[in-house]
Structures are given as structure tokens and as C-alpha cells.
Amino acid sequence: MDGVLGRLYSGSGGFDIVGRRRIWYMISGVLIVVCLLSILLRGFNLGIDFEGGTRVQLPVRSVSGPITTEQTERVFTGALGRPPESVQIVGTGSAASILISSTTLDTRQSFELKKALYDQLRPVGTDGRPSERAISDSAVSATWGGEISRQALVALLVFLVLVSAFLGVYFEARMAAAALVALVHDVLVTAGIYSLVGFEVTPASVIGLLTILGFSLYDTVVVFDKVHENTRGLLGLTRRTYSEAANLAVNQTLMRSINTSLIAVLPVLGLLVIGVGLLGVGTLKDLALVQMVGILAGTVSSIFLATPLIVDLTMRRPAYQQQAERVAQRREKLARKTAAAEPDSDNVGDTAGTESATLAGDTLTGTGGSTRAGKTPPSGRRGKQPTGKSSRPSGKAGRGR
């Protein structure tokens, strides 16, 4: 197969990914700077579980038909003079309900809001009749979200320590360092995109952020294992440098990384389409969004960041620098031999052509000489050999003598 797809499937090293690592570093650096600035200056759209507040819930069914989120938001704004933090539908069928998230409401505000919701929307209770008891409210403390954040941070630190120890033992210390840089890149990019776009950060988002670390690490380990295989015993060889061997490893695993990412994204799309579009579950939306962003960031970092980093860290060692010099010297020597062999081949061709022409001339000359050297009798008189009876004397003539 020819073209981009052919090189992609064959994995023959047709894409110079490691050789263009400065470009990837610049792109990653700009992306990290933008994400950090957004996190520091704009911050996150924290959910009610992190900031505290009040949740109000009511059934979707009403006397006049299903209640929409627009109607609910309009009633909330009219009753309290400000819009709610979020309004979403959770559940399906008879269990579907509208969940309103707001800043902390006092007793008077809660009473006025529930009264306005009942008077204007008339939600139906479990008995099928309109009821104020169908509308419930609950206070959410910010301490629960803070506890979730602390536990997530502890889990992240433990995960990074264990990953560093595993990679340092199974591979090398520089591979562990490159993998950690890629993991930090994935976390910062995912968090930065949440800050830039304004996605609401919920406990489900934090849990999803921890799950993408495993995927990012898996993809990085797959590439590193191929790099380790291609560079085994490389210091004693002069066929290719460490950078070229690592680039070949990336090409050999490139199609696998793309396929793995696509297969991982499909269930996430299922969560978004089915969980949010059909079931109306907001928690699934938060989980799916962070996973999709993290999977894409992890795939990019394992290909364009982790392997180029390990090449730069490795090429600082004198042994690999000397090996690269030997490879360059060998190639230069072969180039000189090839350049010297080209004029010789031209001379050989000219000599062969001259010898062939001389041989052909000699052949023609020899043929003409043999013709002149032969004694050909004149065409007028030719010596004849006696044949037949005329060549033998008759008996009578002999007796007459």
C-alpha cells in the first residue's frame, strides 16, 4: 500500500515524529501555558458539591403536561430575582424529575420558591394529584466536595509514586520521568479545557479524571516497551541511532494507539448519547466529558511527548552520543565508497564498449584476410580433377604401345 495509510499500517518508520520533537514541544508548551492561565485567572465552574448550596427537586409530570427546564428556570428567576446555577432532568419515565441547583437559600427563600413552583407548574405527586409535597429541597455542604477533592489528590499522589516505581524497575529511570511528565500534561490539559469551556466540575468529574490516568499510562507503556525492544543492544551496533530506533517504535505502535483510542472513545460516546440524551442523567455527562478529553490528551502525549522526551534524556548520555557518531561515520564511509564506485563503473562501461568494438573490427578484418590469403583459381581456367572413365587409361591403348 502506498501513501499515508500504507505507511500507517506498515509501521515502517515513514513518519518522522521524533525528529520533529521541537515542534511538538512548542505546541505542548503553548497548550500548557494557556491551560494554566485559564486555571489561575478564570478558575473552574465548581458544582454545588464543592461550593455548597441548595437543591430543589420536583417531578417532571404536571397537570398540564411535562415540565421543561426552561419553565422551571423562568419560575425560579421570577421568584428569587436571580437565575439558578443549573437546571437538569434526571431519570426517565415515571421516575423523571427536575433537579435545580442554587446557591444557599434560607428558609424564607425556600418557602417562596416551592410555593411559586407549585402554583405555576402544578407538579403531580405519586398519587397522581398535584401536591406541594412533591417538591423537596435539601442543603448541600461544601465540606463533602472538599473531602472528595482531598481524597482524589491523595489517590493521585499514590498512583504517581507507584507508577514511578514500576517504570523505574521494569524499564529505566528516564522512562519513568518521561511517563510522569506525560501524565502531568494530561491532567493539566484536561483541567484546563474544563476551565476554558466552563464545564461544571462535579465529584463525577474528579473520578473521571483519575480513570484517564490509567489509560494514558497504558498507552505510554505500550510505546515504551517497543522502544525498549528496538534499542536492546543498540550500543554495539551501527545500523541506526537511538533516536531512529525510538521513532521506528512509535511508527510500529502508531496504528495500535489510534485503534485503542477509537475503541475507548466509543463507549464514552455511548455514555454521552444514551446516558445524557435518552436517560437524562447528568452524572454520566460529567463522567463522559472528562474521560473523552483525557483519552484524547493521553493518546497525543504518549505519541508526541513521552517518546521524544525519552530520546532527549537518553541522548545526554555519552555512550549514546558516541554510538550516534559511529553511525554517522559508517554512513559517511559508505557514501564515499558509493561515490568512488560510480566513476569506476562508468570507466568499466567505456572500456567494455571499446573492447567490444575492437573485437568486432578484428573479426571483420580476420574474415577479409582469410579470403585474400586463400588461393582461389581464376574464373577462366580452373584445374579439374579427372573423374569417371576418362581418368583411367584404357587397356587397348596400353597394348598398342
Side-chain angles (χ1 to χ4, degrees), residues 28 185-186 219 295-306:
S28 298
H185 168 272
D186 299 340
D219 208 21
I295 288 173
L296 296 178
T299 304
V300 172
S301 66
S302 64
I303 297 173
F304 298 98
L305 183 61

Side-chain angles (χ1 to χ4, degrees), residues 143-215:
T143 57
W144 186 78
E147 184 65 23
I148 291 293
S149 301
R150 284 191 294 272
Q151 292 179 359
L153 182 60
V154 171
L156 176 62
L157 294 177
V158 172
F159 176 80
L160 293 179
V161 170
L162 293 178
V163 165
S164 302
F166 169 75
L167 293 178
V169 172
Y170 186 76
F171 294 114
E172 296 177 1
R174 61 181 184 273
M175 287 189 173
L180 288 180
V181 172
L183 284 176
V184 173
H185 168 272
D186 299 340
V187 173
L188 288 178
V189 169
T190 305
I193 290 177
Y194 256 72
S195 176
L196 287 170
V197 179
F199 293 150
E200 184 180 11
V201 179
T202 64
S205 304
V206 177
I207 295 172
L209 184 64
L210 295 177
T211 60
I212 66 173
L213 298 179
F215 177 85

Side-chain angles (χ1 to χ4, degrees), residues 45-48 51-54 73 76-77 82-88 99-104 200:
N45 180 21
L46 297 176
I48 189 175
E51 292 186 335
T54 302
E73 185 174 355
F76 186 100
T77 304
R82 66 175 186 273
E85 296 293 326
S86 65
V87 179
Q88 57 184 351
L99 184 64
I100 306 172
S101 298
S102 172
T103 56
T104 303
E200 184 180 11

Side-chain angles (χ1 to χ4, degrees), residues 14 70 117 146 271 278 299 353 362:
E70 290 79 9
L117 290 173
L271 288 178
L278 299 180
T299 304
D362 292 343

Side-chain angles (χ1 to χ4, degrees), residues 28-29 49 58 80 112 117 177 186 196 214 217-220 241 266 287 298 305 307 331 341 346-347 375-377 388:
S28 298
D49 298 294
L58 66 152
L80 301 180
E112 292 178 355
L117 290 173
D186 299 340
L196 287 170
L217 179 65
Y218 166 76
D219 208 21
T220 303
T241 63
L266 289 178
L287 185 64
L305 183 61
T307 305
R331 292 175 179 175
D346 294 339
N347 293 334
K375 295 180 180 180
T376 306

